[in-house]
Amino acid sequence: MKEAYHADPAAVAALFQKLQREAAAAGYHLNPDQEFTMALVEGLLVNSERYGAPVCPCRLASDIAEEDRDIVCPCDYRDPDLNDFGSCFCALYVSEKIARGEAKPHSIRDRRPRLEERRASAKAAALAKEPPQSLRYPVWRCNVCGYLCARENPPEICPICKARHDRFERFL
């Protein structure tokens, strides 16, 4: 029987600090409930070990990187969830009002489309990726925050939300 992986407390603290810095730099807020947030951060580390990426600890991953990419933290649904509900699905990221203790996060519905819908959408997007011939560079869009950039390849890290390069899609 395989033993359960537990993240090193120093690694949890280091990732927490990193996420907190990045969130503050980009105008986001981590959940002020530190015990809850540290448990989520540990879940991100466990999933990094398990799936090779910090998949949201509150969702079921398929262990197929392409199918799980939308739920790698920060997930594609963070910003719409923050706008509509004041927190993301797992409540790692919260609104300023919640961060200041003026409101509490609550359960929200998962807006992630079903697998069949995600596959159909990916197939349609792949068919529509032929760029116009008049652009000098392709335009890349961050699937997490919507940041757009025109260059040969997507940036390694999104300058806005810090998502990795594999979270970008060719937009034009």
Side-chain angles (χ1 to χ4, degrees):
M1 182 171 170
K2 192 173 182 177
E3 195 168 312
Y5 173 79
H6 292 285
D8 173 32
V12 173
L15 180 56
F16 172 77
Q17 294 298 321
K18 178 180 180 258
L19 291 174
Q20 201 166 38
R21 277 191 314 273
E22 290 176 354
Y28 292 98
H29 306 279
L30 294 185
N31 192 317
D33 182 339
Q34 189 148 355
E35 184 178 336
F36 176 81
T37 301
M38 294 300 261
L40 288 172
V41 171
E42 181 175 12
L44 292 172
L45 288 170
V46 169
N47 283 346
S48 291
E49 179 74 22
R50 185 179 293 152
Y51 303 115
V55 174
C56 179
C58 294
R59 291 189 164 103
L60 294 176
S62 68
D63 201 13
I64 300 170
E66 186 62 36
E67 291 184 2
D68 294 338
R69 187 161 291 135
D70 64 324
I71 57 171
V72 171
C73 188
C75 73
D76 291 0
Y77 316 104
R78 177 188 62 183
D79 288 356
D81 284 349
L82 282 170
N83 288 337
D84 294 347
F85 306 109
S87 71
C88 65
F89 182 68
C90 70
L92 176 62
Y93 291 94
V94 297
S95 67
E96 185 174 353
K97 199 172 184 178
I98 292 173
R100 287 188 301 203
E102 297 171 9
K104 297 271 185 200
H106 54 85
S107 296
I108 63 172
R109 68 172 178 78
D110 190 358
R111 70 174 66 228
R112 186 182 193 208
R114 296 181 330 191
L115 179 61
E116 304 81 41
E117 294 168 323
R118 292 192 313 269
R119 285 181 177 163
S121 177
K123 189 175 180 181
L127 293 174
K129 287 195 177 186
E130 285 299 316
Q133 298 302 315
S134 61
L135 293 177
R136 183 172 179 183
Y137 297 104
V139 176
W140 299 92
R141 177 185 174 275
C142 176
N143 285 325
V144 176
C145 69
Y147 170 75
L148 297 172
C149 62
R151 52 197 286 182
E152 287 295 329
N153 296 300
E156 282 299 311
I157 302 289
C158 177
I160 305 301
C161 70
K162 311 303 180 205
R164 294 180 353 183
H165 68 91
D166 60 351
R167 305 298 297 282
F168 279 78
E169 68 179 359
R170 191 173 184 149
F171 186 67
L172 292 175

